[in-house]
PDB file of all heavy atoms in Angstrom:
ATOM      1  N   PRO A 271      -4.336  -7.205   8.924  1.00 95.00           N
ATOM      2  CA  PRO A 271      -4.827  -7.014   7.552  1.00 95.00           C
ATOM      3  C   PRO A 271      -4.063  -5.887   6.848  1.00 95.00           C
ATOM      4  O   PRO A 271      -4.401  -4.713   6.979  1.00 95.00           O
ATOM      5  CB  PRO A 271      -6.301  -6.647   7.757  1.00 95.00           C
ATOM      6  CG  PRO A 271      -6.327  -5.979   9.107  1.00 95.00           C
ATOM      7  CD  PRO A 271      -5.277  -6.659   9.931  1.00 95.00           C
ATOM      8  N   ARG A 272      -3.065  -6.245   6.094  1.00 96.00           N
ATOM      9  CA  ARG A 272      -2.192  -5.271   5.443  1.00 96.00           C
ATOM     10  C   ARG A 272      -2.978  -4.297   4.547  1.00 96.00           C
ATOM     11  O   ARG A 272      -2.598  -3.126   4.410  1.00 96.00           O
ATOM     12  CB  ARG A 272      -1.123  -6.015   4.630  1.00 96.00           C
ATOM     13  CG  ARG A 272      -0.096  -5.118   3.929  1.00 96.00           C
ATOM     14  CD  ARG A 272       0.974  -6.005   3.283  1.00 96.00           C
ATOM     15  NE  ARG A 272       1.818  -5.281   2.358  1.00 96.00           N
ATOM     16  CZ  ARG A 272       2.927  -4.614   2.685  1.00 96.00           C
ATOM     17  NH1 ARG A 272       3.311  -4.573   3.957  1.00 96.00           N
ATOM     18  NH2 ARG A 272       3.660  -4.005   1.782  1.00 96.00           N
ATOM     19  N   GLU A 273      -4.060  -4.780   3.970  1.00 95.00           N
ATOM     20  CA  GLU A 273      -4.839  -3.939   3.054  1.00 95.00           C
ATOM     21  C   GLU A 273      -5.402  -2.692   3.744  1.00 95.00           C
ATOM     22  O   GLU A 273      -5.677  -1.687   3.085  1.00 95.00           O
ATOM     23  CB  GLU A 273      -5.974  -4.737   2.411  1.00 95.00           C
ATOM     24  CG  GLU A 273      -6.885  -5.448   3.366  1.00 95.00           C
ATOM     25  CD  GLU A 273      -6.443  -6.872   3.676  1.00 95.00           C
ATOM     26  OE1 GLU A 273      -5.219  -7.148   3.609  1.00 95.00           O
ATOM     27  OE2 GLU A 273      -7.328  -7.687   3.992  1.00 95.00           O
ATOM     28  N   PHE A 274      -5.554  -2.723   5.055  1.00 95.00           N
ATOM     29  CA  PHE A 274      -6.050  -1.556   5.781  1.00 95.00           C
ATOM     30  C   PHE A 274      -5.003  -0.450   5.904  1.00 95.00           C
ATOM     31  O   PHE A 274      -5.321   0.663   6.299  1.00 95.00           O
ATOM     32  CB  PHE A 274      -6.521  -1.969   7.180  1.00 95.00           C
ATOM     33  CG  PHE A 274      -7.796  -2.766   7.204  1.00 95.00           C
ATOM     34  CD1 PHE A 274      -8.237  -3.354   8.381  1.00 95.00           C
ATOM     35  CD2 PHE A 274      -8.551  -2.941   6.055  1.00 95.00           C
ATOM     36  CE1 PHE A 274      -9.410  -4.099   8.401  1.00 95.00           C
ATOM     37  CE2 PHE A 274      -9.722  -3.676   6.073  1.00 95.00           C
ATOM     38  CZ  PHE A 274     -10.150  -4.263   7.245  1.00 95.00           C
ATOM     39  N   PHE A 275      -3.765  -0.785   5.566  1.00 97.00           N
ATOM     40  CA  PHE A 275      -2.667   0.181   5.669  1.00 97.00           C
ATOM     41  C   PHE A 275      -2.269   0.732   4.295  1.00 97.00           C
ATOM     42  O   PHE A 275      -1.324   1.504   4.186  1.00 97.00           O
ATOM     43  CB  PHE A 275      -1.448  -0.483   6.327  1.00 97.00           C
ATOM     44  CG  PHE A 275      -1.719  -0.961   7.725  1.00 97.00           C
ATOM     45  CD1 PHE A 275      -2.348  -2.176   7.958  1.00 97.00           C
ATOM     46  CD2 PHE A 275      -1.352  -0.192   8.820  1.00 97.00           C
ATOM     47  CE1 PHE A 275      -2.616  -2.614   9.251  1.00 97.00           C
ATOM     48  CE2 PHE A 275      -1.610  -0.619  10.121  1.00 97.00           C
ATOM     49  CZ  PHE A 275      -2.246  -1.833  10.331  1.00 97.00           C
ATOM     50  N   VAL A 276      -2.990   0.300   3.267  1.00 96.00           N
ATOM     51  CA  VAL A 276      -2.670   0.656   1.882  1.00 96.00           C
ATOM     52  C   VAL A 276      -3.686   1.655   1.343  1.00 96.00           C
ATOM     53  O   VAL A 276      -4.892   1.455   1.493  1.00 96.00           O
ATOM     54  CB  VAL A 276      -2.665  -0.616   1.005  1.00 96.00           C
ATOM     55  CG1 VAL A 276      -2.420  -0.256  -0.457  1.00 96.00           C
ATOM     56  CG2 VAL A 276      -1.611  -1.603   1.494  1.00 96.00           C
ATOM     57  N   PRO A 277      -3.213   2.735   0.695  1.00 95.00           N
ATOM     58  CA  PRO A 277      -4.153   3.665   0.062  1.00 95.00           C
ATOM     59  C   PRO A 277      -5.030   2.916  -0.942  1.00 95.00           C
ATOM     60  O   PRO A 277      -4.540   2.027  -1.654  1.00 95.00           O
ATOM     61  CB  PRO A 277      -3.230   4.668  -0.648  1.00 95.00           C
ATOM     62  CG  PRO A 277      -1.967   4.638   0.161  1.00 95.00           C
ATOM     63  CD  PRO A 277      -1.813   3.203   0.574  1.00 95.00           C
ATOM     64  N   PRO A 278      -6.319   3.228  -1.008  1.00 93.00           N
ATOM     65  CA  PRO A 278      -7.258   2.496  -1.873  1.00 93.00           C
ATOM     66  C   PRO A 278      -6.785   2.302  -3.313  1.00 93.00           C
ATOM     67  O   PRO A 278      -6.981   1.236  -3.889  1.00 93.00           O
ATOM     68  CB  PRO A 278      -8.518   3.367  -1.813  1.00 93.00           C
ATOM     69  CG  PRO A 278      -8.465   3.994  -0.463  1.00 93.00           C
ATOM     70  CD  PRO A 278      -7.000   4.289  -0.238  1.00 93.00           C
ATOM     71  N   ARG A 279      -6.143   3.312  -3.901  1.00 94.00           N
ATOM     72  CA  ARG A 279      -5.751   3.183  -5.307  1.00 94.00           C
ATOM     73  C   ARG A 279      -4.595   2.211  -5.520  1.00 94.00           C
ATOM     74  O   ARG A 279      -4.291   1.851  -6.661  1.00 94.00           O
ATOM     75  CB  ARG A 279      -5.393   4.554  -5.893  1.00 94.00           C
ATOM     76  CG  ARG A 279      -4.134   5.196  -5.334  1.00 94.00           C
ATOM     77  CD  ARG A 279      -3.950   6.574  -5.950  1.00 94.00           C
ATOM     78  NE  ARG A 279      -2.747   7.257  -5.516  1.00 94.00           N
ATOM     79  CZ  ARG A 279      -2.619   7.923  -4.390  1.00 94.00           C
ATOM     80  NH1 ARG A 279      -3.657   7.991  -3.549  1.00 94.00           N
ATOM     81  NH2 ARG A 279      -1.496   8.524  -4.071  1.00 94.00           N
ATOM     82  N   PHE A 280      -3.964   1.768  -4.416  1.00 95.00           N
ATOM     83  CA  PHE A 280      -2.852   0.826  -4.539  1.00 95.00           C
ATOM     84  C   PHE A 280      -3.177  -0.543  -3.944  1.00 95.00           C
ATOM     85  O   PHE A 280      -2.278  -1.354  -3.716  1.00 95.00           O
ATOM     86  CB  PHE A 280      -1.596   1.390  -3.861  1.00 95.00           C
ATOM     87  CG  PHE A 280      -1.048   2.627  -4.519  1.00 95.00           C
ATOM     88  CD1 PHE A 280      -0.961   3.818  -3.813  1.00 95.00           C
ATOM     89  CD2 PHE A 280      -0.630   2.600  -5.840  1.00 95.00           C
ATOM     90  CE1 PHE A 280      -0.458   4.965  -4.409  1.00 95.00           C
ATOM     91  CE2 PHE A 280      -0.141   3.746  -6.457  1.00 95.00           C
ATOM     92  CZ  PHE A 280      -0.049   4.929  -5.738  1.00 95.00           C
ATOM     93  N   LEU A 281      -4.453  -0.807  -3.720  1.00 94.00           N
ATOM     94  CA  LEU A 281      -4.832  -2.078  -3.098  1.00 94.00           C
ATOM     95  C   LEU A 281      -4.354  -3.293  -3.893  1.00 94.00           C
ATOM     96  O   LEU A 281      -4.055  -4.336  -3.319  1.00 94.00           O
ATOM     97  CB  LEU A 281      -6.355  -2.143  -2.927  1.00 94.00           C
ATOM     98  CG  LEU A 281      -6.932  -1.394  -1.725  1.00 94.00           C
ATOM     99  CD1 LEU A 281      -8.457  -1.426  -1.760  1.00 94.00           C
ATOM    100  CD2 LEU A 281      -6.413  -1.983  -0.426  1.00 94.00           C
ATOM    101  N   HIS A 282      -4.268  -3.144  -5.202  1.00 93.00           N
ATOM    102  CA  HIS A 282      -3.825  -4.262  -6.038  1.00 93.00           C
ATOM    103  C   HIS A 282      -2.370  -4.638  -5.773  1.00 93.00           C
ATOM    104  O   HIS A 282      -1.908  -5.709  -6.176  1.00 93.00           O
ATOM    105  CB  HIS A 282      -4.015  -3.924  -7.519  1.00 93.00           C
ATOM    106  CG  HIS A 282      -3.205  -2.761  -7.991  1.00 93.00           C
ATOM    107  ND1 HIS A 282      -3.483  -1.456  -7.619  1.00 93.00           N
ATOM    108  CD2 HIS A 282      -2.099  -2.702  -8.781  1.00 93.00           C
ATOM    109  CE1 HIS A 282      -2.594  -0.633  -8.169  1.00 93.00           C
ATOM    110  NE2 HIS A 282      -1.750  -1.367  -8.886  1.00 93.00           N
ATOM    111  N   LEU A 283      -1.635  -3.767  -5.073  1.00 96.00           N
ATOM    112  CA  LEU A 283      -0.221  -4.032  -4.770  1.00 96.00           C
ATOM    113  C   LEU A 283      -0.015  -4.582  -3.359  1.00 96.00           C
ATOM    114  O   LEU A 283       1.115  -4.860  -2.959  1.00 96.00           O
ATOM    115  CB  LEU A 283       0.604  -2.746  -4.919  1.00 96.00           C
ATOM    116  CG  LEU A 283       0.626  -2.098  -6.301  1.00 96.00           C
ATOM    117  CD1 LEU A 283       1.416  -0.789  -6.247  1.00 96.00           C
ATOM    118  CD2 LEU A 283       1.240  -3.044  -7.329  1.00 96.00           C
ATOM    119  N   THR A 284      -1.102  -4.751  -2.616  1.00 95.00           N
ATOM    120  CA  THR A 284      -1.014  -5.097  -1.198  1.00 95.00           C
ATOM    121  C   THR A 284      -0.107  -6.283  -0.926  1.00 95.00           C
ATOM    122  O   THR A 284       0.750  -6.237  -0.031  1.00 95.00           O
ATOM    123  CB  THR A 284      -2.418  -5.391  -0.627  1.00 95.00           C
ATOM    124  OG1 THR A 284      -3.244  -4.248  -0.817  1.00 95.00           O
ATOM    125  CG2 THR A 284      -2.330  -5.698   0.859  1.00 95.00           C
ATOM    126  N   TYR A 285      -0.273  -7.359  -1.663  1.00 96.00           N
ATOM    127  CA  TYR A 285       0.512  -8.566  -1.425  1.00 96.00           C
ATOM    128  C   TYR A 285       1.437  -8.876  -2.600  1.00 96.00           C
ATOM    129  O   TYR A 285       1.617 -10.023  -2.986  1.00 96.00           O
ATOM    130  CB  TYR A 285      -0.414  -9.743  -1.105  1.00 96.00           C
ATOM    131  CG  TYR A 285      -1.199  -9.488   0.161  1.00 96.00           C
ATOM    132  CD1 TYR A 285      -2.562  -9.192   0.123  1.00 96.00           C
ATOM    133  CD2 TYR A 285      -0.561  -9.497   1.398  1.00 96.00           C
ATOM    134  CE1 TYR A 285      -3.265  -8.918   1.290  1.00 96.00           C
ATOM    135  CE2 TYR A 285      -1.258  -9.232   2.571  1.00 96.00           C
ATOM    136  CZ  TYR A 285      -2.604  -8.940   2.506  1.00 96.00           C
ATOM    137  OH  TYR A 285      -3.288  -8.668   3.665  1.00 96.00           O
ATOM    138  N   LYS A 286       2.019  -7.814  -3.130  1.00 94.00           N
ATOM    139  CA  LYS A 286       3.019  -7.940  -4.179  1.00 94.00           C
ATOM    140  C   LYS A 286       4.389  -7.598  -3.581  1.00 94.00           C
ATOM    141  O   LYS A 286       4.493  -6.839  -2.623  1.00 94.00           O
ATOM    142  CB  LYS A 286       2.719  -6.988  -5.329  1.00 94.00           C
ATOM    143  CG  LYS A 286       1.362  -7.202  -5.991  1.00 94.00           C
ATOM    144  CD  LYS A 286       1.271  -8.542  -6.692  1.00 94.00           C
ATOM    145  CE  LYS A 286      -0.060  -8.664  -7.434  1.00 94.00           C
ATOM    146  NZ  LYS A 286      -0.214 -10.005  -8.075  1.00 94.00           N
ATOM    147  N   PRO A 287       5.473  -8.143  -4.166  1.00 93.00           N
ATOM    148  CA  PRO A 287       6.827  -7.860  -3.655  1.00 93.00           C
ATOM    149  C   PRO A 287       7.326  -6.489  -4.091  1.00 93.00           C
ATOM    150  O   PRO A 287       8.260  -6.362  -4.883  1.00 93.00           O
ATOM    151  CB  PRO A 287       7.668  -8.998  -4.251  1.00 93.00           C
ATOM    152  CG  PRO A 287       6.971  -9.328  -5.532  1.00 93.00           C
ATOM    153  CD  PRO A 287       5.502  -9.163  -5.237  1.00 93.00           C
ATOM    154  N   THR A 288       6.697  -5.458  -3.576  1.00 93.00           N
ATOM    155  CA  THR A 288       7.060  -4.096  -3.949  1.00 93.00           C
ATOM    156  C   THR A 288       6.688  -3.141  -2.827  1.00 93.00           C
ATOM    157  O   THR A 288       5.858  -3.462  -1.975  1.00 93.00           O
ATOM    158  CB  THR A 288       6.327  -3.678  -5.244  1.00 93.00           C
ATOM    159  OG1 THR A 288       6.759  -2.378  -5.636  1.00 93.00           O
ATOM    160  CG2 THR A 288       4.816  -3.650  -5.028  1.00 93.00           C
ATOM    161  N   VAL A 289       7.320  -1.978  -2.830  1.00 92.00           N
ATOM    162  CA  VAL A 289       6.933  -0.933  -1.881  1.00 92.00           C
ATOM    163  C   VAL A 289       5.666  -0.257  -2.407  1.00 92.00           C
ATOM    164  O   VAL A 289       5.382  -0.299  -3.609  1.00 92.00           O
ATOM    165  CB  VAL A 289       8.046   0.113  -1.694  1.00 92.00           C
ATOM    166  CG1 VAL A 289       9.291  -0.521  -1.100  1.00 92.00           C
ATOM    167  CG2 VAL A 289       8.384   0.794  -3.020  1.00 92.00           C
ATOM    168  N   ILE A 290       4.921   0.368  -1.503  1.00 96.00           N
ATOM    169  CA  ILE A 290       3.664   1.009  -1.870  1.00 96.00           C
ATOM    170  C   ILE A 290       3.662   2.457  -1.385  1.00 96.00           C
ATOM    171  O   ILE A 290       3.901   2.702  -0.193  1.00 96.00           O
ATOM    172  CB  ILE A 290       2.474   0.257  -1.245  1.00 96.00           C
ATOM    173  CG1 ILE A 290       2.453  -1.192  -1.733  1.00 96.00           C
ATOM    174  CG2 ILE A 290       1.162   0.957  -1.582  1.00 96.00           C
ATOM    175  CD1 ILE A 290       1.414  -2.062  -1.038  1.00 96.00           C
ATOM    176  N   PRO A 291       3.444   3.414  -2.270  1.00 96.00           N
ATOM    177  CA  PRO A 291       3.401   4.823  -1.849  1.00 96.00           C
ATOM    178  C   PRO A 291       2.269   5.070  -0.863  1.00 96.00           C
ATOM    179  O   PRO A 291       1.146   4.596  -1.063  1.00 96.00           O
ATOM    180  CB  PRO A 291       3.152   5.574  -3.167  1.00 96.00           C
ATOM    181  CG  PRO A 291       3.587   4.628  -4.248  1.00 96.00           C
ATOM    182  CD  PRO A 291       3.251   3.263  -3.730  1.00 96.00           C
ATOM    183  N   ILE A 292       2.570   5.816   0.211  1.00 97.00           N
ATOM    184  CA  ILE A 292       1.531   6.150   1.189  1.00 97.00           C
ATOM    185  C   ILE A 292       1.397   7.674   1.365  1.00 97.00           C
ATOM    186  O   ILE A 292       0.711   8.139   2.257  1.00 97.00           O
ATOM    187  CB  ILE A 292       1.802   5.489   2.551  1.00 97.00           C
ATOM    188  CG1 ILE A 292       3.177   5.887   3.094  1.00 97.00           C
ATOM    189  CG2 ILE A 292       1.664   3.978   2.456  1.00 97.00           C
ATOM    190  CD1 ILE A 292       3.442   5.389   4.506  1.00 97.00           C
ATOM    191  N   GLY A 293       2.084   8.413   0.486  1.00 96.00           N
ATOM    192  CA  GLY A 293       1.992   9.867   0.536  1.00 96.00           C
ATOM    193  C   GLY A 293       3.173  10.516   1.227  1.00 96.00           C
ATOM    194  O   GLY A 293       3.918   9.868   1.959  1.00 96.00           O
ATOM    195  N   TYR A 294       3.372  11.794   0.927  1.00 95.00           N
ATOM    196  CA  TYR A 294       4.430  12.602   1.541  1.00 95.00           C
ATOM    197  C   TYR A 294       5.831  12.039   1.290  1.00 95.00           C
ATOM    198  O   TYR A 294       6.737  12.174   2.108  1.00 95.00           O
ATOM    199  CB  TYR A 294       4.178  12.750   3.045  1.00 95.00           C
ATOM    200  CG  TYR A 294       2.799  13.270   3.350  1.00 95.00           C
ATOM    201  CD1 TYR A 294       1.750  12.372   3.616  1.00 95.00           C
ATOM    202  CD2 TYR A 294       2.525  14.630   3.306  1.00 95.00           C
ATOM    203  CE1 TYR A 294       0.460  12.843   3.849  1.00 95.00           C
ATOM    204  CE2 TYR A 294       1.234  15.106   3.546  1.00 95.00           C
ATOM    205  CZ  TYR A 294       0.216  14.198   3.806  1.00 95.00           C
ATOM    206  OH  TYR A 294      -1.063  14.664   4.037  1.00 95.00           O
ATOM    207  N   GLY A 295       5.982  11.379   0.134  1.00 92.00           N
ATOM    208  CA  GLY A 295       7.280  10.827  -0.229  1.00 92.00           C
ATOM    209  C   GLY A 295       7.655   9.575   0.532  1.00 92.00           C
ATOM    210  O   GLY A 295       8.802   9.106   0.445  1.00 92.00           O
ATOM    211  N   GLN A 296       6.723   8.993   1.265  1.00 94.00           N
ATOM    212  CA  GLN A 296       6.995   7.806   2.070  1.00 94.00           C
ATOM    213  C   GLN A 296       6.347   6.571   1.439  1.00 94.00           C
ATOM    214  O   GLN A 296       5.424   6.683   0.625  1.00 94.00           O
ATOM    215  CB  GLN A 296       6.471   7.998   3.490  1.00 94.00           C
ATOM    216  CG  GLN A 296       7.018   9.234   4.187  1.00 94.00           C
ATOM    217  CD  GLN A 296       8.527   9.229   4.277  1.00 94.00           C
ATOM    218  OE1 GLN A 296       9.130   8.265   4.752  1.00 94.00           O
ATOM    219  NE2 GLN A 296       9.163  10.300   3.810  1.00 94.00           N
ATOM    220  N   THR A 297       6.825   5.407   1.859  1.00 94.00           N
ATOM    221  CA  THR A 297       6.294   4.169   1.305  1.00 94.00           C
ATOM    222  C   THR A 297       6.039   3.131   2.400  1.00 94.00           C
ATOM    223  O   THR A 297       6.609   3.193   3.484  1.00 94.00           O
ATOM    224  CB  THR A 297       7.275   3.545   0.294  1.00 94.00           C
ATOM    225  OG1 THR A 297       8.542   3.305   0.933  1.00 94.00           O
ATOM    226  CG2 THR A 297       7.476   4.444  -0.908  1.00 94.00           C
ATOM    227  N   LEU A 298       5.172   2.194   2.073  1.00 95.00           N
ATOM    228  CA  LEU A 298       4.941   1.024   2.915  1.00 95.00           C
ATOM    229  C   LEU A 298       5.878  -0.064   2.403  1.00 95.00           C
ATOM    230  O   LEU A 298       5.831  -0.438   1.243  1.00 95.00           O
ATOM    231  CB  LEU A 298       3.484   0.575   2.810  1.00 95.00           C
ATOM    232  CG  LEU A 298       3.101  -0.762   3.455  1.00 95.00           C
ATOM    233  CD1 LEU A 298       3.410  -0.753   4.947  1.00 95.00           C
ATOM    234  CD2 LEU A 298       1.620  -1.044   3.213  1.00 95.00           C
TER     235      LEU A 298
END
């Protein structure tokens, strides 16, 4: 479940073709 690895405020991006910020300058 990819959504469990996504910060809550970015859940709308979970299954979009984009990187997702996860903090500390890093991305999913």
Side-chain angles (χ1 to χ4, degrees):
R272 182 174 167 87
E273 54 269 28
F274 289 171
F275 298 82
V276 176
R279 68 183 182 279
F280 295 119
L281 280 174
H282 63 289
L283 299 176
T284 302
Y285 298 107
K286 301 294 185 183
T288 184
V289 297
I290 300 173
I292 57 174
Y294 307 94
Q296 304 302 307
T297 58
L298 171 59

